[in-house]
Amino acid sequence: MDKFLIEGGKRLEGRVAISGAKNAALPAMAAALLTDQRVVLRNVPRVRDIGTLRSLLEELGVDSSVTHEERGNRVEIEARRLITPVAPYELVKQMRASVLVLGPLLARFGHVRVSLPGGCAIGARPINLHIKGLEKLGAALKIDHGYVDATANGLKGALIRFDTISVTGTENLMMAATLAQGETVLQNAAREPEVQDLADLLNRMGAKIEGAGSDEIMIQGVSRLHGAEHTVIPDRIETGTFITAAAITGGHLILEHCNPDHLTAIISKLSEAGVRITCNSAETASRVIEVHSNTVFSAVDLTTQEYPGFATDMQAQYMALMTQAEGTATITETIFENRFLHALEMMRMGADITLDGRRALVRGKTRLSGAQVQASDLRASACLVLAGLAAEGQTLVDRVYHIDRGYERIEERLTRVGASIRRISEDRSLPFPLSHSSRTSPQSARSLALSVRCESPQWQASPLGGV
Ligand code: EPU
């Protein structure tokens, strides 16, 4: 398992190109299962989760190819045939979004077996709403040996109201309903931009979907879908993470190819805390966000919410920033029941945080000192990288395979704008205890030279489950 070695205290300055959204690219790839024609996706991020879904498609017998383009990858998927309708545990446990193949495979082939994902670091995360919704569409589902076994002899449109808003639940049912007979209405649907992006792709493939982006989505079933080309939207969480990186280092970053419209709640909260953010609203193709920050912030309370509220996927990064703000911020996590593991690691770096169920009290401003810390999930690892950038001395972030799941070569991109962050391999002895000053002592510099090997990211699947 690779680690990141960060020397804190460096101010970031420069331009960063934002990648395509992982959480939009994954359902878009699953949507390609709805047709036997070629679906071409552009601006697909080069992150490990995309590789995991490609492995799953391969397992199913579906052809896909990847071409490197100037912005992101071009992924072509042609699901002419299916060798097996089974999404095995080994792949699903690596990435919960594998469950997105359930709806499309059931709708097109009438039978699918998908391993139940099980719990993960941030919460229980059941898929009962996906199952209930598919049953409403006329499928028969049973759970045996840890798998959901679903069959349908033609799905039929239905009115489905989600008890809880679910992003992938909405996406799964929306995809399934495109090939159902008659009309499906999804109420209390997720309004995330990624849902809307998926609806755009599906409509390009011949689906009839209205209302995506609102909490009520209407889908008129069609008998078949065809191939299409689609460019994936920019990653709003990656954008928010880079905004926070600029802020926490008192830096100046220009973020290109992003969409500020998808970050209204995030930009508003960070601005309230004192981060200076300007967005160009002119053209839509390549929009820019500029962050110009000193390191004086005020504590502002935060409650995570479904879109258009403040995203749970930015909560950990916001907490890192709040350790550097004057005053006490209460952070309330409403989406997942266990998404504060990063707080415990930041406390080891000197953060003053009290956890009380789904609330965290962050008292600032604290001096963070570099330490060995361990990432527990994708966004927790982003938080620890941010804390490391702000800390005095060296921070070693373990289990960075989590960050590779959703951020494209983040250490290279941060290095280019002035951060000191290196990927090191696990097979060498580590130079801890590290120097606690921001300057490396001659001795530790020597030991680093001997023991650190920089590597490019490992894209192979991790043995541990995740988001
Ligand atoms: N829920 C249920 N039953 C279900 C489905 C969800 O009770 O059948 C609950 C969950 O346990 C959770 C809440 O509903 O408490 C919301 O979960 P949701 O289904 O919306 O999450 P998801 O679709 O599994 C997506 C993103 C996550 C992001 C959440 C919330 C993808 C591939 N994943 O997950 O992204 O945190 O929505 O916005 O789109 C990440 O990128 O780091 C990440 C975790």
Side-chain angles (χ1 to χ4, degrees):
M1 276 177 240
D2 291 356
K3 299 170 172 50
F4 281 161
L5 181 63
I6 304 167
E7 179 82 42
K10 308 270 192 277
R11 182 176 177 273
L12 303 190
E13 167 93 49
R15 301 177 94 88
V16 177
I18 296 300
S19 312
K22 161 187 85 84
N23 288 349
L26 291 169
M29 288 169 73
L33 295 168
L34 287 161
T35 174
D36 59 357
Q37 296 182 10
R38 183 177 308 166
V39 172
V40 179
L41 302 172
R42 293 208 149 87
N43 199 30
V44 175
R46 301 176 188 113
V47 298
R48 214 183 55 211
D49 273 7
I50 298 296
T52 306
L53 188 53
R54 275 195 75 211
S55 303
L56 175 54
L57 294 179
E58 198 175 300
E59 180 90 14
L60 298 169
V62 170
D63 299 328
S64 71
S65 66
V66 173
T67 321
H68 196 98
E69 291 191 324
E70 196 192 332
R71 272 181 55 208
N73 278 339
R74 169 193 165 103
V75 176
E76 292 192 20
I77 302 168
E78 203 168 318
R80 264 172 294 132
R81 64 199 171 118
L82 195 68
I83 291 175
T84 166
V86 180
Y89 178 64
E90 288 65 35
L91 287 169
V92 178
K93 76 172 181 191
Q94 285 165 32
M95 187 187 65
R96 306 179 57 83
S98 308
V99 79
L100 284 165
V101 303
L102 181 57
L105 288 182
L106 182 64
R108 176 147 165 239
F109 297 99
H111 179 214
V112 54
R113 250 172 95 73
V114 176
S115 170
L116 282 168
C120 88
I122 63 176
R125 306 186 69 187
I127 58 161
N128 57 312
L129 301 173
H130 305 231
I131 292 174
K132 258 171 75 178
L134 291 171
E135 279 172 344
K136 278 235 167 179
L137 292 175
L141 289 100
K142 63 176 194 297
I143 291 172
D144 72 53
H145 305 291
Y147 279 74
V148 183
D149 197 282
T151 48
N153 191 8
L155 296 173
K156 293 206 170 53
L159 170 65
I160 299 166
R161 186 173 172 81
F162 287 93
D163 299 334
T164 306
I165 298 174
S166 167
V167 177
T168 49
T170 301
E171 292 165 347
N172 232 337
L173 297 188
M174 187 164 79
M175 288 190 279
T178 57
L179 292 181
Q181 213 180 69
E183 186 180 65
T184 297
V185 179
L186 303 179
Q187 291 181 339
N188 201 23
R191 291 181 279 171
E192 269 65 3
E194 293 77 19
V195 173
Q196 204 170 338
D197 196 48
L198 174 63
D200 289 345
L201 166 63
L202 292 167
N203 282 339
R204 276 199 195 118
M205 293 168 68
K208 293 190 174 147
I209 303 173
E210 283 177 17
S214 78
D215 63 357
E216 184 162 290
I217 303 177
M218 276 83 59
I219 306 130
Q220 284 293 342
V222 295
S223 56
R224 63 190 302 268
L225 295 177
H226 52 74
E229 282 204 25
H230 181 70
T231 301
V232 171
I233 55 170
D235 196 313
R236 63 196 166 99
I237 306 301
E238 187 184 86
T239 311
T241 305
F242 275 107
I243 295 177
T244 316
I248 210 164
T249 62
H252 176 209
L253 287 185
I254 295 174
L255 308 179
E256 299 170 327
H257 306 299
C258 52
N259 188 345
D261 296 347
H262 295 163
L263 283 115
T264 308
I266 292 170
I267 289 174
S268 144
K269 186 61 72 179
L270 293 173
S271 303
E272 206 183 328
V275 183
R276 276 172 34 217
I277 304 168
T278 45
C279 312
N280 84 336
S281 49
E283 71 292 35
T284 49
S286 169
R287 297 182 62 188
V288 163
I289 292 179
E290 184 167 3
V291 194
H292 214 139
S293 193
N294 54 30
T295 47
V296 182
F297 311 113
S298 30
V300 179
D301 294 347
L302 166 75
T303 301
T304 60
Q305 281 169 340
E306 295 89 356
Y307 193 85
F310 191 101
T312 173
D313 292 345
M314 267 297 295
Q315 176 260 107
Q317 300 89 315
Y318 184 78
M319 188 182 285
L321 186 71
M322 284 300 102
T323 67
Q324 300 308 298
E326 299 295 339
T328 300
T330 303
I331 299 181
T332 309
E333 170 58 53
T334 67
I335 309 295
F336 294 112
E337 63 272 25
N338 194 32
R339 211 173 196 181
F340 281 148
L341 291 176
H342 46 276
L344 302 170
E345 294 302 295
M346 280 200 295
M347 282 151 79
R348 298 186 54 256
M349 299 173 74
D352 184 354
I353 303 172
T354 308
L355 296 181
D356 174 17
R358 288 191 178 215
R359 280 194 324 155
L361 252 66
V362 188
R363 288 175 212 88
K365 172 178 184 170
T366 43
R367 176 183 154 271
L368 297 180
S369 60
Q372 266 181 284
V373 288
Q374 185 160 295
S376 51
D377 70 85
L378 169 56
R379 308 305 170 185
S381 44
C383 159
L384 296 176
V385 167
L386 294 172
L389 293 177
E392 285 175 30
Q394 294 175 323
T395 297
L396 189 70
V397 183
D398 199 355
R399 301 195 169 182
V400 298
Y401 60 83
H402 284 299
I403 211 162
D404 292 334
R405 297 188 53 195
Y407 291 88
E408 190 174 319
R409 297 170 290 104
I410 193 160
E411 76 282 20
E412 292 175 23
R413 292 154 82 203
L414 285 170
T415 300
R416 257 185 253 130
V417 291
S420 169
I421 171 169
R422 296 202 274 175
R423 181 179 292 265
I424 60 176
S425 71
E426 63 161 355
D427 57 338
R428 301 294 178 97
S429 60
L430 292 168
F432 266 82
L434 297 171
S435 88
H436 290 294
S437 78
S438 53
R439 259 184 290 142
T440 311
S441 70
Q443 197 188 343
S444 71
R446 217 172 21 251
S447 88
L448 282 177
L450 287 173
S451 61
V452 170
R453 177 157 58 106
C454 295
E455 291 210 326
S456 31
Q458 308 278 301
W459 302 120
Q460 78 268 20
S462 102
L464 298 167
V467 284

Short mmCIF file of all heavy atoms in Angstrom, two decimals, residues 373-396:
data_model
loop_
_atom_site.label_atom_id
_atom_site.label_comp_id
_atom_site.label_asym_id
_atom_site.label_seq_id
_atom_site.Cartn_x
_atom_site.Cartn_y
_atom_site.Cartn_z
N VAL A 373 -0.55 9.20 9.81
CA VAL A 373 -2.00 9.06 9.91
C VAL A 373 -2.49 8.05 8.88
O VAL A 373 -1.80 7.76 7.91
CB VAL A 373 -2.72 10.42 9.69
CG1 VAL A 373 -2.53 11.35 10.88
CG2 VAL A 373 -2.26 11.08 8.41
N GLN A 374 -3.70 7.60 9.09
CA GLN A 374 -4.23 6.54 8.24
C GLN A 374 -5.56 6.94 7.63
O GLN A 374 -6.48 7.33 8.35
CB GLN A 374 -4.41 5.30 9.11
CG GLN A 374 -4.85 4.09 8.32
CD GLN A 374 -4.55 2.84 9.12
OE1 GLN A 374 -3.41 2.51 9.38
NE2 GLN A 374 -5.59 2.16 9.52
N ALA A 375 -5.67 6.84 6.32
CA ALA A 375 -6.91 7.18 5.64
C ALA A 375 -7.91 6.03 5.77
O ALA A 375 -7.53 4.87 5.69
CB ALA A 375 -6.63 7.44 4.16
N SER A 376 -9.18 6.38 5.99
CA SER A 376 -10.20 5.33 6.14
C SER A 376 -11.13 5.25 4.94
O SER A 376 -11.78 4.25 4.71
CB SER A 376 -11.03 5.61 7.40
OG SER A 376 -11.49 6.95 7.37
N ASP A 377 -11.25 6.33 4.18
CA ASP A 377 -12.05 6.31 2.95
C ASP A 377 -11.56 7.43 2.03
O ASP A 377 -10.66 8.19 2.40
CB ASP A 377 -13.56 6.43 3.26
CG ASP A 377 -13.96 7.81 3.75
OD1 ASP A 377 -14.20 8.70 2.91
OD2 ASP A 377 -14.03 8.00 4.96
N LEU A 378 -12.17 7.50 0.88
CA LEU A 378 -11.71 8.45 -0.14
C LEU A 378 -11.64 9.89 0.37
O LEU A 378 -10.61 10.56 0.25
CB LEU A 378 -12.67 8.34 -1.34
CG LEU A 378 -12.61 9.38 -2.44
CD1 LEU A 378 -11.21 9.48 -3.03
CD2 LEU A 378 -13.62 9.03 -3.52
N ARG A 379 -12.72 10.39 0.93
CA ARG A 379 -12.74 11.81 1.32
C ARG A 379 -11.94 12.04 2.60
O ARG A 379 -11.38 13.12 2.80
CB ARG A 379 -14.16 12.32 1.47
CG ARG A 379 -15.05 12.04 0.27
CD ARG A 379 -14.49 12.56 -1.05
NE ARG A 379 -15.25 12.06 -2.19
CZ ARG A 379 -14.95 12.27 -3.46
NH1 ARG A 379 -13.86 12.95 -3.80
NH2 ARG A 379 -15.70 11.79 -4.43
N ALA A 380 -11.87 11.03 3.48
CA ALA A 380 -11.03 11.15 4.67
C ALA A 380 -9.57 11.31 4.24
O ALA A 380 -8.81 12.07 4.84
CB ALA A 380 -11.19 9.93 5.55
N SER A 381 -9.18 10.61 3.18
CA SER A 381 -7.78 10.72 2.75
C SER A 381 -7.52 12.11 2.19
O SER A 381 -6.45 12.69 2.40
CB SER A 381 -7.38 9.62 1.76
OG SER A 381 -8.36 9.43 0.80
N ALA A 382 -8.51 12.70 1.50
CA ALA A 382 -8.34 14.06 0.99
C ALA A 382 -8.17 15.02 2.17
O ALA A 382 -7.34 15.93 2.14
CB ALA A 382 -9.54 14.45 0.14
N CYS A 383 -8.96 14.81 3.22
CA CYS A 383 -8.89 15.65 4.42
C CYS A 383 -7.50 15.57 5.04
O CYS A 383 -6.91 16.59 5.41
CB CYS A 383 -9.96 15.16 5.39
SG CYS A 383 -9.69 15.61 7.10
N LEU A 384 -6.95 14.37 5.12
CA LEU A 384 -5.64 14.21 5.76
C LEU A 384 -4.53 14.83 4.92
O LEU A 384 -3.56 15.36 5.45
CB LEU A 384 -5.38 12.73 6.04
CG LEU A 384 -6.36 12.11 7.05
CD1 LEU A 384 -6.10 10.62 7.21
CD2 LEU A 384 -6.29 12.81 8.40
N VAL A 385 -4.68 14.78 3.60
CA VAL A 385 -3.72 15.46 2.73
C VAL A 385 -3.78 16.96 2.99
O VAL A 385 -2.75 17.63 3.14
CB VAL A 385 -3.98 15.13 1.24
CG1 VAL A 385 -3.19 16.07 0.32
CG2 VAL A 385 -3.61 13.67 0.95
N LEU A 386 -4.98 17.51 3.09
CA LEU A 386 -5.13 18.95 3.36
C LEU A 386 -4.53 19.31 4.71
O LEU A 386 -3.80 20.31 4.84
CB LEU A 386 -6.62 19.34 3.35
CG LEU A 386 -7.32 19.21 1.99
CD1 LEU A 386 -8.83 19.43 2.16
CD2 LEU A 386 -6.76 20.21 0.99
N ALA A 387 -4.80 18.47 5.72
CA ALA A 387 -4.23 18.74 7.05
C ALA A 387 -2.71 18.69 6.96
O ALA A 387 -2.02 19.52 7.56
CB ALA A 387 -4.76 17.71 8.05
N GLY A 388 -2.20 17.75 6.20
CA GLY A 388 -0.74 17.62 6.03
C GLY A 388 -0.15 18.85 5.35
O GLY A 388 0.96 19.29 5.68
N LEU A 389 -0.87 19.42 4.40
CA LEU A 389 -0.38 20.63 3.70
C LEU A 389 -0.28 21.80 4.67
O LEU A 389 0.56 22.68 4.52
CB LEU A 389 -1.32 21.01 2.54
CG LEU A 389 -1.41 20.05 1.35
CD1 LEU A 389 -2.44 20.55 0.35
CD2 LEU A 389 -0.06 19.88 0.67
N ALA A 390 -1.19 21.81 5.68
CA ALA A 390 -1.23 22.94 6.63
C ALA A 390 -0.33 22.71 7.84
O ALA A 390 -0.07 23.64 8.59
CB ALA A 390 -2.67 23.15 7.10
N ALA A 391 0.10 21.45 8.05
CA ALA A 391 0.81 21.12 9.29
C ALA A 391 2.27 21.54 9.26
O ALA A 391 2.87 21.73 8.20
CB ALA A 391 0.71 19.60 9.51
N GLU A 392 2.83 21.65 10.45
CA GLU A 392 4.27 21.89 10.55
C GLU A 392 4.97 20.54 10.46
O GLU A 392 4.56 19.58 11.11
CB GLU A 392 4.59 22.50 11.92
CG GLU A 392 4.21 23.96 12.02
CD GLU A 392 4.44 24.49 13.42
OE1 GLU A 392 5.36 23.98 14.11
OE2 GLU A 392 3.68 25.37 13.82
N GLY A 393 6.01 20.48 9.68
CA GLY A 393 6.77 19.24 9.57
C GLY A 393 6.15 18.25 8.61
O GLY A 393 5.36 18.63 7.74
N GLN A 394 6.50 16.99 8.81
CA GLN A 394 6.14 15.96 7.83
C GLN A 394 4.96 15.10 8.28
O GLN A 394 4.88 14.69 9.44
CB GLN A 394 7.36 15.07 7.58
CG GLN A 394 8.48 15.83 6.90
CD GLN A 394 9.72 15.00 6.76
OE1 GLN A 394 10.07 14.21 7.64
NE2 GLN A 394 10.42 15.16 5.65
N THR A 395 4.09 14.84 7.34
CA THR A 395 2.94 13.97 7.58
C THR A 395 3.04 12.79 6.64
O THR A 395 3.35 12.95 5.45
CB THR A 395 1.62 14.74 7.31
OG1 THR A 395 1.54 15.81 8.25
CG2 THR A 395 0.40 13.85 7.48
N LEU A 396 2.80 11.61 7.19
CA LEU A 396 2.80 10.41 6.35
C LEU A 396 1.38 9.86 6.33
O LEU A 396 0.87 9.43 7.37
CB LEU A 396 3.76 9.37 6.93
CG LEU A 396 4.01 8.15 6.06
CD1 LEU A 396 4.85 8.51 4.83
CD2 LEU A 396 4.71 7.05 6.85
#
